[in-house]
Amino acid sequence: MLAAQITKVDLPANAFVSSQPENVKETILDTAINRAFERDLEEELMPLDLLRFDGKLVPHQRAASLTVFKDSTRNRRLLVMSVNKKPLEEELGIDLLYWDQVHDAFTFV
């Protein structure tokens, strides 16, 4: 959401709404399994951050840690890099690096 605000990209109202309905009749095993996946870890979320942006830009994953989003009609390019557990995270404490190539602007997350 912060990246969308910074880049002034309008997100759909349901951008962060879960599409999975809640299971009302859970067994004890269901409850235990559901609780095990309730909290995602940073390492699990990084690949998702490399594949989704706004639904308008088309992602091209050039490497496991680099995705290029491009809109050929407006000539926009956004590179999203995972720098988790790499020198940039060690030095600056960031996990993701967004590079707007059109404006030559960087956003550290």
Side-chain angles (χ1 to χ4, degrees), residues 54-79:
D54 67 357
K56 297 174 188 171
L57 299 177
V58 178
H60 170 67
Q61 193 160 8
R62 290 188 18 199
S65 60
L66 171 65
T67 302
V68 178
F69 293 89
K70 187 175 183 180
D71 178 2
S72 59
T73 60
R74 295 193 204 168
N75 201 21
R76 293 187 294 175
R77 288 175 58 112
L78 173 71
L79 277 75

mmCIF file with all atom_site columns, all heavy atoms in Angstrom, residues 54-79:
data_model
loop_
_atom_site.group_PDB
_atom_site.id
_atom_site.type_symbol
_atom_site.label_atom_id
_atom_site.label_alt_id
_atom_site.label_comp_id
_atom_site.label_asym_id
_atom_site.label_entity_id
_atom_site.label_seq_id
_atom_site.pdbx_PDB_ins_code
_atom_site.Cartn_x
_atom_site.Cartn_y
_atom_site.Cartn_z
_atom_site.occupancy
_atom_site.B_iso_or_equiv
_atom_site.pdbx_formal_charge
_atom_site.auth_seq_id
_atom_site.auth_comp_id
_atom_site.auth_asym_id
_atom_site.auth_atom_id
_atom_site.pdbx_PDB_model_num
ATOM 1   N N   . ASP A 1 54 ? 0.117  -3.784  -9.803  1.00 0.00 ? 54 ASP A N   1
ATOM 2   C CA  . ASP A 1 54 ? -1.151 -3.063  -9.883  1.00 0.00 ? 54 ASP A CA  1
ATOM 3   C C   . ASP A 1 54 ? -2.165 -3.679  -10.837 1.00 0.00 ? 54 ASP A C   1
ATOM 4   O O   . ASP A 1 54 ? -3.253 -3.164  -10.996 1.00 0.00 ? 54 ASP A O   1
ATOM 5   C CB  . ASP A 1 54 ? -0.910 -1.603  -10.267 1.00 0.00 ? 54 ASP A CB  1
ATOM 6   C CG  . ASP A 1 54 ? -0.381 -1.443  -11.669 1.00 0.00 ? 54 ASP A CG  1
ATOM 7   O OD1 . ASP A 1 54 ? -0.136 -2.455  -12.347 1.00 0.00 ? 54 ASP A OD1 1
ATOM 8   O OD2 . ASP A 1 54 ? -0.196 -0.297  -12.101 1.00 0.00 ? 54 ASP A OD2 1
ATOM 9   N N   . GLY A 1 55 ? -1.811 -4.771  -11.471 1.00 0.00 ? 55 GLY A N   1
ATOM 10  C CA  . GLY A 1 55 ? -2.733 -5.400  -12.400 1.00 0.00 ? 55 GLY A CA  1
ATOM 11  C C   . GLY A 1 55 ? -2.750 -4.753  -13.777 1.00 0.00 ? 55 GLY A C   1
ATOM 12  O O   . GLY A 1 55 ? -3.366 -5.262  -14.694 1.00 0.00 ? 55 GLY A O   1
ATOM 13  N N   . LYS A 1 56 ? -2.084 -3.623  -13.927 1.00 0.00 ? 56 LYS A N   1
ATOM 14  C CA  . LYS A 1 56 ? -2.029 -2.934  -15.218 1.00 0.00 ? 56 LYS A CA  1
ATOM 15  C C   . LYS A 1 56 ? -0.684 -3.165  -15.904 1.00 0.00 ? 56 LYS A C   1
ATOM 16  O O   . LYS A 1 56 ? -0.623 -3.293  -17.112 1.00 0.00 ? 56 LYS A O   1
ATOM 17  C CB  . LYS A 1 56 ? -2.260 -1.435  -15.027 1.00 0.00 ? 56 LYS A CB  1
ATOM 18  C CG  . LYS A 1 56 ? -3.629 -1.107  -14.469 1.00 0.00 ? 56 LYS A CG  1
ATOM 19  C CD  . LYS A 1 56 ? -3.756 0.353   -14.176 1.00 0.00 ? 56 LYS A CD  1
ATOM 20  C CE  . LYS A 1 56 ? -5.061 0.619   -13.442 1.00 0.00 ? 56 LYS A CE  1
ATOM 21  N NZ  . LYS A 1 56 ? -5.148 1.964   -12.952 1.00 0.00 ? 56 LYS A NZ  1
ATOM 22  N N   . LEU A 1 57 ? 0.362  -3.185  -15.120 1.00 0.00 ? 57 LEU A N   1
ATOM 23  C CA  . LEU A 1 57 ? 1.690  -3.428  -15.679 1.00 0.00 ? 57 LEU A CA  1
ATOM 24  C C   . LEU A 1 57 ? 1.899  -4.927  -15.815 1.00 0.00 ? 57 LEU A C   1
ATOM 25  O O   . LEU A 1 57 ? 1.509  -5.705  -14.958 1.00 0.00 ? 57 LEU A O   1
ATOM 26  C CB  . LEU A 1 57 ? 2.766  -2.828  -14.767 1.00 0.00 ? 57 LEU A CB  1
ATOM 27  C CG  . LEU A 1 57 ? 2.699  -1.316  -14.552 1.00 0.00 ? 57 LEU A CG  1
ATOM 28  C CD1 . LEU A 1 57 ? 3.771  -0.880  -13.567 1.00 0.00 ? 57 LEU A CD1 1
ATOM 29  C CD2 . LEU A 1 57 ? 2.853  -0.564  -15.854 1.00 0.00 ? 57 LEU A CD2 1
ATOM 30  N N   . VAL A 1 58 ? 2.532  -5.334  -16.888 1.00 0.00 ? 58 VAL A N   1
ATOM 31  C CA  . VAL A 1 58 ? 2.746  -6.753  -17.158 1.00 0.00 ? 58 VAL A CA  1
ATOM 32  C C   . VAL A 1 58 ? 4.090  -7.178  -16.569 1.00 0.00 ? 58 VAL A C   1
ATOM 33  O O   . VAL A 1 58 ? 5.126  -6.600  -16.900 1.00 0.00 ? 58 VAL A O   1
ATOM 34  C CB  . VAL A 1 58 ? 2.727  -7.014  -18.683 1.00 0.00 ? 58 VAL A CB  1
ATOM 35  C CG1 . VAL A 1 58 ? 2.990  -8.472  -18.983 1.00 0.00 ? 58 VAL A CG1 1
ATOM 36  C CG2 . VAL A 1 58 ? 1.393  -6.566  -19.271 1.00 0.00 ? 58 VAL A CG2 1
ATOM 37  N N   . PRO A 1 59 ? 4.084  -8.202  -15.676 1.00 0.00 ? 59 PRO A N   1
ATOM 38  C CA  . PRO A 1 59 ? 5.347  -8.631  -15.063 1.00 0.00 ? 59 PRO A CA  1
ATOM 39  C C   . PRO A 1 59 ? 6.128  -9.577  -15.965 1.00 0.00 ? 59 PRO A C   1
ATOM 40  O O   . PRO A 1 59 ? 5.565  -10.427 -16.646 1.00 0.00 ? 59 PRO A O   1
ATOM 41  C CB  . PRO A 1 59 ? 4.896  -9.346  -13.796 1.00 0.00 ? 59 PRO A CB  1
ATOM 42  C CG  . PRO A 1 59 ? 3.543  -9.869  -14.124 1.00 0.00 ? 59 PRO A CG  1
ATOM 43  C CD  . PRO A 1 59 ? 2.938  -8.899  -15.092 1.00 0.00 ? 59 PRO A CD  1
ATOM 44  N N   . HIS A 1 60 ? 7.435  -9.391  -15.987 1.00 0.00 ? 60 HIS A N   1
ATOM 45  C CA  . HIS A 1 60 ? 8.344  -10.317 -16.653 1.00 0.00 ? 60 HIS A CA  1
ATOM 46  C C   . HIS A 1 60 ? 9.430  -10.649 -15.636 1.00 0.00 ? 60 HIS A C   1
ATOM 47  O O   . HIS A 1 60 ? 10.234 -9.783  -15.284 1.00 0.00 ? 60 HIS A O   1
ATOM 48  C CB  . HIS A 1 60 ? 8.955  -9.690  -17.904 1.00 0.00 ? 60 HIS A CB  1
ATOM 49  C CG  . HIS A 1 60 ? 10.064 -10.506 -18.489 1.00 0.00 ? 60 HIS A CG  1
ATOM 50  N ND1 . HIS A 1 60 ? 9.856  -11.741 -19.054 1.00 0.00 ? 60 HIS A ND1 1
ATOM 51  C CD2 . HIS A 1 60 ? 11.388 -10.266 -18.577 1.00 0.00 ? 60 HIS A CD2 1
ATOM 52  C CE1 . HIS A 1 60 ? 11.015 -12.233 -19.476 1.00 0.00 ? 60 HIS A CE1 1
ATOM 53  N NE2 . HIS A 1 60 ? 11.947 -11.353 -19.194 1.00 0.00 ? 60 HIS A NE2 1
ATOM 54  N N   . GLN A 1 61 ? 9.425  -11.870 -15.131 1.00 0.00 ? 61 GLN A N   1
ATOM 55  C CA  . GLN A 1 61 ? 10.398 -12.246 -14.110 1.00 0.00 ? 61 GLN A CA  1
ATOM 56  C C   . GLN A 1 61 ? 11.695 -12.636 -14.788 1.00 0.00 ? 61 GLN A C   1
ATOM 57  O O   . GLN A 1 61 ? 11.793 -13.676 -15.428 1.00 0.00 ? 61 GLN A O   1
ATOM 58  C CB  . GLN A 1 61 ? 9.863  -13.382 -13.241 1.00 0.00 ? 61 GLN A CB  1
ATOM 59  C CG  . GLN A 1 61 ? 10.696 -13.559 -11.999 1.00 0.00 ? 61 GLN A CG  1
ATOM 60  C CD  . GLN A 1 61 ? 9.962  -14.315 -10.912 1.00 0.00 ? 61 GLN A CD  1
ATOM 61  O OE1 . GLN A 1 61 ? 8.890  -14.841 -11.122 1.00 0.00 ? 61 GLN A OE1 1
ATOM 62  N NE2 . GLN A 1 61 ? 10.565 -14.360 -9.757  1.00 0.00 ? 61 GLN A NE2 1
ATOM 63  N N   . ARG A 1 62 ? 12.703 -11.769 -14.652 1.00 0.00 ? 62 ARG A N   1
ATOM 64  C CA  . ARG A 1 62 ? 14.001 -12.000 -15.305 1.00 0.00 ? 62 ARG A CA  1
ATOM 65  C C   . ARG A 1 62 ? 14.890 -12.903 -14.487 1.00 0.00 ? 62 ARG A C   1
ATOM 66  O O   . ARG A 1 62 ? 15.806 -13.507 -15.009 1.00 0.00 ? 62 ARG A O   1
ATOM 67  C CB  . ARG A 1 62 ? 14.697 -10.669 -15.551 1.00 0.00 ? 62 ARG A CB  1
ATOM 68  C CG  . ARG A 1 62 ? 13.977 -9.880  -16.628 1.00 0.00 ? 62 ARG A CG  1
ATOM 69  C CD  . ARG A 1 62 ? 14.655 -8.636  -17.107 1.00 0.00 ? 62 ARG A CD  1
ATOM 70  N NE  . ARG A 1 62 ? 16.048 -8.500  -16.841 1.00 0.00 ? 62 ARG A NE  1
ATOM 71  C CZ  . ARG A 1 62 ? 16.691 -7.343  -16.879 1.00 0.00 ? 62 ARG A CZ  1
ATOM 72  N NH1 . ARG A 1 62 ? 16.048 -6.242  -17.165 1.00 0.00 ? 62 ARG A NH1 1
ATOM 73  N NH2 . ARG A 1 62 ? 17.979 -7.271  -16.626 1.00 0.00 ? 62 ARG A NH2 1
ATOM 74  N N   . ALA A 1 63 ? 14.653 -12.981 -13.195 1.00 0.00 ? 63 ALA A N   1
ATOM 75  C CA  . ALA A 1 63 ? 15.429 -13.848 -12.300 1.00 0.00 ? 63 ALA A CA  1
ATOM 76  C C   . ALA A 1 63 ? 14.549 -14.121 -11.087 1.00 0.00 ? 63 ALA A C   1
ATOM 77  O O   . ALA A 1 63 ? 13.497 -13.515 -10.931 1.00 0.00 ? 63 ALA A O   1
ATOM 78  C CB  . ALA A 1 63 ? 16.732 -13.169 -11.886 1.00 0.00 ? 63 ALA A CB  1
ATOM 79  N N   . ALA A 1 64 ? 14.975 -15.024 -10.237 1.00 0.00 ? 64 ALA A N   1
ATOM 80  C CA  . ALA A 1 64 ? 14.183 -15.341 -9.044  1.00 0.00 ? 64 ALA A CA  1
ATOM 81  C C   . ALA A 1 64 ? 14.018 -14.128 -8.143  1.00 0.00 ? 64 ALA A C   1
ATOM 82  O O   . ALA A 1 64 ? 13.036 -14.015 -7.429  1.00 0.00 ? 64 ALA A O   1
ATOM 83  C CB  . ALA A 1 64 ? 14.839 -16.486 -8.275  1.00 0.00 ? 64 ALA A CB  1
ATOM 84  N N   . SER A 1 65 ? 14.947 -13.192 -8.197  1.00 0.00 ? 65 SER A N   1
ATOM 85  C CA  . SER A 1 65 ? 14.875 -12.021 -7.330  1.00 0.00 ? 65 SER A CA  1
ATOM 86  C C   . SER A 1 65 ? 14.675 -10.711 -8.098  1.00 0.00 ? 65 SER A C   1
ATOM 87  O O   . SER A 1 65 ? 14.864 -9.644  -7.542  1.00 0.00 ? 65 SER A O   1
ATOM 88  C CB  . SER A 1 65 ? 16.149 -11.929 -6.488  1.00 0.00 ? 65 SER A CB  1
ATOM 89  O OG  . SER A 1 65 ? 17.275 -11.811 -7.339  1.00 0.00 ? 65 SER A OG  1
ATOM 90  N N   . LEU A 1 66 ? 14.282 -10.787 -9.381  1.00 0.00 ? 66 LEU A N   1
ATOM 91  C CA  . LEU A 1 66 ? 14.089 -9.568  -10.168 1.00 0.00 ? 66 LEU A CA  1
ATOM 92  C C   . LEU A 1 66 ? 12.909 -9.725  -11.121 1.00 0.00 ? 66 LEU A C   1
ATOM 93  O O   . LEU A 1 66 ? 12.859 -10.663 -11.911 1.00 0.00 ? 66 LEU A O   1
ATOM 94  C CB  . LEU A 1 66 ? 15.342 -9.243  -10.988 1.00 0.00 ? 66 LEU A CB  1
ATOM 95  C CG  . LEU A 1 66 ? 15.209 -8.112  -12.007 1.00 0.00 ? 66 LEU A CG  1
ATOM 96  C CD1 . LEU A 1 66 ? 14.951 -6.778  -11.331 1.00 0.00 ? 66 LEU A CD1 1
ATOM 97  C CD2 . LEU A 1 66 ? 16.456 -8.038  -12.865 1.00 0.00 ? 66 LEU A CD2 1
ATOM 98  N N   . THR A 1 67 ? 11.967 -8.789  -11.022 1.00 0.00 ? 67 THR A N   1
ATOM 99  C CA  . THR A 1 67 ? 10.832 -8.749  -11.940 1.00 0.00 ? 67 THR A CA  1
ATOM 100 C C   . THR A 1 67 ? 10.776 -7.364  -12.562 1.00 0.00 ? 67 THR A C   1
ATOM 101 O O   . THR A 1 67 ? 10.951 -6.357  -11.886 1.00 0.00 ? 67 THR A O   1
ATOM 102 C CB  . THR A 1 67 ? 9.512  -9.031  -11.206 1.00 0.00 ? 67 THR A CB  1
ATOM 103 O OG1 . THR A 1 67 ? 9.600  -10.306 -10.583 1.00 0.00 ? 67 THR A OG1 1
ATOM 104 C CG2 . THR A 1 67 ? 8.336  -9.037  -12.159 1.00 0.00 ? 67 THR A CG2 1
ATOM 105 N N   . VAL A 1 68 ? 10.527 -7.329  -13.870 1.00 0.00 ? 68 VAL A N   1
ATOM 106 C CA  . VAL A 1 68 ? 10.370 -6.062  -14.586 1.00 0.00 ? 68 VAL A CA  1
ATOM 107 C C   . VAL A 1 68 ? 8.903  -5.943  -14.981 1.00 0.00 ? 68 VAL A C   1
ATOM 108 O O   . VAL A 1 68 ? 8.358  -6.814  -15.649 1.00 0.00 ? 68 VAL A O   1
ATOM 109 C CB  . VAL A 1 68 ? 11.261 -6.015  -15.843 1.00 0.00 ? 68 VAL A CB  1
ATOM 110 C CG1 . VAL A 1 68 ? 11.049 -4.703  -16.596 1.00 0.00 ? 68 VAL A CG1 1
ATOM 111 C CG2 . VAL A 1 68 ? 12.721 -6.196  -15.470 1.00 0.00 ? 68 VAL A CG2 1
ATOM 112 N N   . PHE A 1 69 ? 8.261  -4.870  -14.542 1.00 0.00 ? 69 PHE A N   1
ATOM 113 C CA  . PHE A 1 69 ? 6.881  -4.572  -14.918 1.00 0.00 ? 69 PHE A CA  1
ATOM 114 C C   . PHE A 1 69 ? 6.935  -3.524  -16.024 1.00 0.00 ? 69 PHE A C   1
ATOM 115 O O   . PHE A 1 69 ? 7.622  -2.518  -15.890 1.00 0.00 ? 69 PHE A O   1
ATOM 116 C CB  . PHE A 1 69 ? 6.096  -4.021  -13.728 1.00 0.00 ? 69 PHE A CB  1
ATOM 117 C CG  . PHE A 1 69 ? 5.875  -5.026  -12.638 1.00 0.00 ? 69 PHE A CG  1
ATOM 118 C CD1 . PHE A 1 69 ? 6.791  -5.193  -11.615 1.00 0.00 ? 69 PHE A CD1 1
ATOM 119 C CD2 . PHE A 1 69 ? 4.737  -5.823  -12.639 1.00 0.00 ? 69 PHE A CD2 1
ATOM 120 C CE1 . PHE A 1 69 ? 6.574  -6.117  -10.605 1.00 0.00 ? 69 PHE A CE1 1
ATOM 121 C CE2 . PHE A 1 69 ? 4.512  -6.752  -11.639 1.00 0.00 ? 69 PHE A CE2 1
ATOM 122 C CZ  . PHE A 1 69 ? 5.437  -6.894  -10.622 1.00 0.00 ? 69 PHE A CZ  1
ATOM 123 N N   . LYS A 1 70 ? 6.208  -3.781  -17.113 1.00 0.00 ? 70 LYS A N   1
ATOM 124 C CA  . LYS A 1 70 ? 6.277  -2.871  -18.254 1.00 0.00 ? 70 LYS A CA  1
ATOM 125 C C   . LYS A 1 70 ? 4.895  -2.638  -18.830 1.00 0.00 ? 70 LYS A C   1
ATOM 126 O O   . LYS A 1 70 ? 4.087  -3.544  -18.936 1.00 0.00 ? 70 LYS A O   1
ATOM 127 C CB  . LYS A 1 70 ? 7.193  -3.463  -19.323 1.00 0.00 ? 70 LYS A CB  1
ATOM 128 C CG  . LYS A 1 70 ? 7.476  -2.547  -20.476 1.00 0.00 ? 70 LYS A CG  1
ATOM 129 C CD  . LYS A 1 70 ? 8.489  -3.159  -21.412 1.00 0.00 ? 70 LYS A CD  1
ATOM 130 C CE  . LYS A 1 70 ? 8.810  -2.182  -22.526 1.00 0.00 ? 70 LYS A CE  1
ATOM 131 N NZ  . LYS A 1 70 ? 9.788  -2.723  -23.457 1.00 0.00 ? 70 LYS A NZ  1
ATOM 132 N N   . ASP A 1 71 ? 4.642  -1.401  -19.199 1.00 0.00 ? 71 ASP A N   1
ATOM 133 C CA  . ASP A 1 71 ? 3.438  -1.021  -19.914 1.00 0.00 ? 71 ASP A CA  1
ATOM 134 C C   . ASP A 1 71 ? 3.906  -0.406  -21.227 1.00 0.00 ? 71 ASP A C   1
ATOM 135 O O   . ASP A 1 71 ? 4.333  0.744   -21.260 1.00 0.00 ? 71 ASP A O   1
ATOM 136 C CB  . ASP A 1 71 ? 2.630  -0.018  -19.088 1.00 0.00 ? 71 ASP A CB  1
ATOM 137 C CG  . ASP A 1 71 ? 1.378  0.443   -19.803 1.00 0.00 ? 71 ASP A CG  1
ATOM 138 O OD1 . ASP A 1 71 ? 1.120  -0.035  -20.922 1.00 0.00 ? 71 ASP A OD1 1
ATOM 139 O OD2 . ASP A 1 71 ? 0.663  1.278   -19.249 1.00 0.00 ? 71 ASP A OD2 1
ATOM 140 N N   . SER A 1 72 ? 3.873  -1.179  -22.295 1.00 0.00 ? 72 SER A N   1
ATOM 141 C CA  . SER A 1 72 ? 4.432  -0.724  -23.567 1.00 0.00 ? 72 SER A CA  1
ATOM 142 C C   . SER A 1 72 ? 3.677  0.464   -24.154 1.00 0.00 ? 72 SER A C   1
ATOM 143 O O   . SER A 1 72 ? 4.255  1.269   -24.875 1.00 0.00 ? 72 SER A O   1
ATOM 144 C CB  . SER A 1 72 ? 4.479  -1.870  -24.572 1.00 0.00 ? 72 SER A CB  1
ATOM 145 O OG  . SER A 1 72 ? 3.186  -2.387  -24.777 1.00 0.00 ? 72 SER A OG  1
ATOM 146 N N   . THR A 1 73 ? 2.383  0.592   -23.853 1.00 0.00 ? 73 THR A N   1
ATOM 147 C CA  . THR A 1 73 ? 1.633  1.705   -24.424 1.00 0.00 ? 73 THR A CA  1
ATOM 148 C C   . THR A 1 73 ? 2.035  3.045   -23.820 1.00 0.00 ? 73 THR A C   1
ATOM 149 O O   . THR A 1 73 ? 1.974  4.065   -24.488 1.00 0.00 ? 73 THR A O   1
ATOM 150 C CB  . THR A 1 73 ? 0.120  1.508   -24.234 1.00 0.00 ? 73 THR A CB  1
ATOM 151 O OG1 . THR A 1 73 ? -0.165 1.418   -22.832 1.00 0.00 ? 73 THR A OG1 1
ATOM 152 C CG2 . THR A 1 73 ? -0.356 0.251   -24.940 1.00 0.00 ? 73 THR A CG2 1
ATOM 153 N N   . ARG A 1 74 ? 2.441  3.032   -22.561 1.00 0.00 ? 74 ARG A N   1
ATOM 154 C CA  . ARG A 1 74 ? 2.865  4.288   -21.924 1.00 0.00 ? 74 ARG A CA  1
ATOM 155 C C   . ARG A 1 74 ? 4.372  4.326   -21.687 1.00 0.00 ? 74 ARG A C   1
ATOM 156 O O   . ARG A 1 74 ? 4.884  5.259   -21.102 1.00 0.00 ? 74 ARG A O   1
ATOM 157 C CB  . ARG A 1 74 ? 2.145  4.478   -20.589 1.00 0.00 ? 74 ARG A CB  1
ATOM 158 C CG  . ARG A 1 74 ? 0.657  4.659   -20.754 1.00 0.00 ? 74 ARG A CG  1
ATOM 159 C CD  . ARG A 1 74 ? 0.083  5.135   -19.468 1.00 0.00 ? 74 ARG A CD  1
ATOM 160 N NE  . ARG A 1 74 ? -1.331 4.794   -19.402 1.00 0.00 ? 74 ARG A NE  1
ATOM 161 C CZ  . ARG A 1 74 ? -2.038 4.887   -18.314 1.00 0.00 ? 74 ARG A CZ  1
ATOM 162 N NH1 . ARG A 1 74 ? -1.491 5.278   -17.199 1.00 0.00 ? 74 ARG A NH1 1
ATOM 163 N NH2 . ARG A 1 74 ? -3.316 4.563   -18.319 1.00 0.00 ? 74 ARG A NH2 1
ATOM 164 N N   . ASN A 1 75 ? 5.042  3.271   -22.106 1.00 0.00 ? 75 ASN A N   1
ATOM 165 C CA  . ASN A 1 75 ? 6.488  3.182   -21.950 1.00 0.00 ? 75 ASN A CA  1
ATOM 166 C C   . ASN A 1 75 ? 6.930  3.328   -20.493 1.00 0.00 ? 75 ASN A C   1
ATOM 167 O O   . ASN A 1 75 ? 7.892  4.024   -20.182 1.00 0.00 ? 75 ASN A O   1
ATOM 168 C CB  . ASN A 1 75 ? 7.191  4.211   -22.831 1.00 0.00 ? 75 ASN A CB  1
ATOM 169 C CG  . ASN A 1 75 ? 8.636  3.822   -23.075 1.00 0.00 ? 75 ASN A CG  1
ATOM 170 O OD1 . ASN A 1 75 ? 9.004  2.656   -22.933 1.00 0.00 ? 75 ASN A OD1 1
ATOM 171 N ND2 . ASN A 1 75 ? 9.452  4.780   -23.432 1.00 0.00 ? 75 ASN A ND2 1
ATOM 172 N N   . ARG A 1 76 ? 6.200  2.675   -19.584 1.00 0.00 ? 76 ARG A N   1
ATOM 173 C CA  . ARG A 1 76 ? 6.566  2.696   -18.165 1.00 0.00 ? 76 ARG A CA  1
ATOM 174 C C   . ARG A 1 76 ? 7.298  1.407   -17.836 1.00 0.00 ? 76 ARG A C   1
ATOM 175 O O   . ARG A 1 76 ? 6.936  0.337   -18.306 1.00 0.00 ? 76 ARG A O   1
ATOM 176 C CB  . ARG A 1 76 ? 5.329  2.805   -17.277 1.00 0.00 ? 76 ARG A CB  1
ATOM 177 C CG  . ARG A 1 76 ? 4.616  4.118   -17.424 1.00 0.00 ? 76 ARG A CG  1
ATOM 178 C CD  . ARG A 1 76 ? 3.513  4.249   -16.422 1.00 0.00 ? 76 ARG A CD  1
ATOM 179 N NE  . ARG A 1 76 ? 2.457  3.279   -16.683 1.00 0.00 ? 76 ARG A NE  1
ATOM 180 C CZ  . ARG A 1 76 ? 1.407  3.104   -15.905 1.00 0.00 ? 76 ARG A CZ  1
ATOM 181 N NH1 . ARG A 1 76 ? 1.273  3.827   -14.817 1.00 0.00 ? 76 ARG A NH1 1
ATOM 182 N NH2 . ARG A 1 76 ? 0.485  2.222   -16.198 1.00 0.00 ? 76 ARG A NH2 1
ATOM 183 N N   . ARG A 1 77 ? 8.319  1.516   -17.010 1.00 0.00 ? 77 ARG A N   1
ATOM 184 C CA  . ARG A 1 77 ? 9.060  0.334   -16.552 1.00 0.00 ? 77 ARG A CA  1
ATOM 185 C C   . ARG A 1 77 ? 9.349  0.481   -15.065 1.00 0.00 ? 77 ARG A C   1
ATOM 186 O O   . ARG A 1 77 ? 9.792  1.526   -14.611 1.00 0.00 ? 77 ARG A O   1
ATOM 187 C CB  . ARG A 1 77 ? 10.375 0.178   -17.307 1.00 0.00 ? 77 ARG A CB  1
ATOM 188 C CG  . ARG A 1 77 ? 10.197 -0.269  -18.742 1.00 0.00 ? 77 ARG A CG  1
ATOM 189 C CD  . ARG A 1 77 ? 11.516 -0.280  -19.460 1.00 0.00 ? 77 ARG A CD  1
ATOM 190 N NE  . ARG A 1 77 ? 12.464 -1.149  -18.801 1.00 0.00 ? 77 ARG A NE  1
ATOM 191 C CZ  . ARG A 1 77 ? 12.927 -2.278  -19.313 1.00 0.00 ? 77 ARG A CZ  1
ATOM 192 N NH1 . ARG A 1 77 ? 12.517 -2.669  -20.493 1.00 0.00 ? 77 ARG A NH1 1
ATOM 193 N NH2 . ARG A 1 77 ? 13.811 -3.011  -18.667 1.00 0.00 ? 77 ARG A NH2 1
ATOM 194 N N   . LEU A 1 78 ? 9.080  -0.584  -14.365 1.00 0.00 ? 78 LEU A N   1
ATOM 195 C CA  . LEU A 1 78 ? 9.358  -0.630  -12.934 1.00 0.00 ? 78 LEU A CA  1
ATOM 196 C C   . LEU A 1 78 ? 10.084 -1.936  -12.654 1.00 0.00 ? 78 LEU A C   1
ATOM 197 O O   . LEU A 1 78 ? 9.582  -3.002  -12.989 1.00 0.00 ? 78 LEU A O   1
ATOM 198 C CB  . LEU A 1 78 ? 8.062  -0.570  -12.125 1.00 0.00 ? 78 LEU A CB  1
ATOM 199 C CG  . LEU A 1 78 ? 8.221  -0.769  -10.619 1.00 0.00 ? 78 LEU A CG  1
ATOM 200 C CD1 . LEU A 1 78 ? 8.896  0.449   -9.997  1.00 0.00 ? 78 LEU A CD1 1
ATOM 201 C CD2 . LEU A 1 78 ? 6.876  -1.017  -9.966  1.00 0.00 ? 78 LEU A CD2 1
ATOM 202 N N   . LEU A 1 79 ? 11.243 -1.856  -12.056 1.00 0.00 ? 79 LEU A N   1
ATOM 203 C CA  . LEU A 1 79 ? 11.983 -3.044  -11.656 1.00 0.00 ? 79 LEU A CA  1
ATOM 204 C C   . LEU A 1 79 ? 11.775 -3.249  -10.169 1.00 0.00 ? 79 LEU A C   1
ATOM 205 O O   . LEU A 1 79 ? 11.917 -2.296  -9.379  1.00 0.00 ? 79 LEU A O   1
ATOM 206 C CB  . LEU A 1 79 ? 13.480 -2.899  -11.934 1.00 0.00 ? 79 LEU A CB  1
ATOM 207 C CG  . LEU A 1 79 ? 13.930 -3.207  -13.358 1.00 0.00 ? 79 LEU A CG  1
ATOM 208 C CD1 . LEU A 1 79 ? 13.542 -2.087  -14.283 1.00 0.00 ? 79 LEU A CD1 1
ATOM 209 C CD2 . LEU A 1 79 ? 15.405 -3.455  -13.385 1.00 0.00 ? 79 LEU A CD2 1
#
